[in-house]
Amino acid sequence: MDAPISEQPPNAARLLPWAGTEGRPCYVIGDGHGKVSREADKVEALQLGMAYELLDHADDMVADDTSTTVQLRHVAAALTYSLRDVHRVARSRGLRLGIPDDFEPGHPSGPGLVRLRP
């Protein structure tokens, strides 16, 4: 039986849904109720909503026999970008639930959880 999942301690860093300078991941430290955390929640909701709409658009394009190679490449690029955002949101939420993260530091969505000293 798996161990129960526990939430992150208040002194752990949250992976934010946007990148910083040079594409580096951004983190916020705190209990998850501050202004930055609330803004991150809004951005995550927006990213997930846009991904859902993009999936509908991609389904339509794939089903349309008149879609050109350029159009399909464009939607594939948009899906890749969106999937990277969704993956970052999933990692951030998983980390906050205490799910271990094994991604390497050079991964496009950034390194995993950073534990801070109490």
Side-chain angles (χ1 to χ4, degrees), residues 37-114:
S37 289
R38 288 191 308 272
E39 192 63 29
D41 291 341
K42 291 177 190 175
V43 170
E44 285 181 355
L46 180 65
Q47 288 172 329
L48 294 174
M50 290 173 61
Y52 186 77
E53 290 176 16
L54 181 58
L55 283 172
D56 282 345
H57 180 63
D59 281 340
D60 292 343
M61 289 194 70
V62 169
D64 185 355
D65 292 337
T66 64
S67 295
T68 66
T69 303
V70 171
Q71 289 171 321
L72 292 172
R73 273 196 200 127
H74 178 74
V75 79
L79 285 167
T80 301
Y81 187 85
S82 181
L83 183 57
R84 195 167 281 121
D85 286 344
V86 170
H87 181 254
R88 186 185 308 245
V89 170
R91 284 184 62 216
S92 178
R93 291 180 180 188
L95 291 169
R96 284 182 276 150
L97 290 173
I99 297 170
D101 186 18
D102 296 328
F103 284 96
E104 67 276 0
H107 192 273
S109 61
L113 181 64
V114 176

